[in-house]
C-alpha cells in the first residue's frame, strides 16, 4: 500500500503505551478500554491514564476510584 491508497477506518481496540503527559499508539485501533468501568474510550478522546500501571480511565472519577480516593461528603 502506498500513501495515495485509502484505508478503511481503523477498527478494534488499540494497544497504547502510556507516557508522562502523552501516549504512544503501538497498535492502531479505534478505542482503548477503561481499567475501572471497561467502557470503550475513543483514542482521540483519551485524557486520563496511569503511567506506572499502564491503564486508561474513562473519567477523572474512574481514575480516582482506581487509586482508592473517595470524595468527602
Amino acid at each position: 500500500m502506498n500513501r495515495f491508497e485509502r484505508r478503511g477506518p481503523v477498527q478494534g481496540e488499540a494497544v497504547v503505551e502510556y507516557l508522562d503527559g502523552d501516549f504512544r499508539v503501538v497498535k492502531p485501533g479505534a478505542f482503548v478500554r477503561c481499567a475501572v468501568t471497561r467502557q470503550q474510550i475513543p483514542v482521540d478522546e483519551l485524557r486520563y491514564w496511569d503511567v506506572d500501571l499502564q491503564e486508561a480511565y474513562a473519567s477523572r472519577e474512574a481514575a480516582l476510584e482506581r487509586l482508592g480516593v473517595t470524595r468527602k461528603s
Side-chain angles (χ1 to χ4, degrees), residues 4-65:
F4 298 107
E5 291 182 73
R6 288 188 158 286
R7 286 188 174 176
V10 178
Q11 299 290 325
E13 191 166 354
V15 175
V16 175
E17 178 183 7
Y18 302 102
L19 308 169
D20 288 326
D22 202 6
F23 59 88
R24 183 176 70 90
V25 176
V26 176
K27 177 185 163 233
F31 65 91
V32 294
R33 215 168 273 287
C34 176
V36 175
T37 66
R38 306 307 300 158
Q39 175 183 350
Q40 291 182 2
I41 308 163
V43 173
D44 60 343
E45 294 178 19
L46 180 59
R47 301 287 180 267
Y48 305 99
W49 61 83
D50 187 295
V51 174
D52 296 328
L53 298 175
Q54 289 294 293
E55 295 178 337
Y57 306 109
S59 65
R60 177 182 62 195
E61 291 77 16
L64 292 173
E65 182 179 330

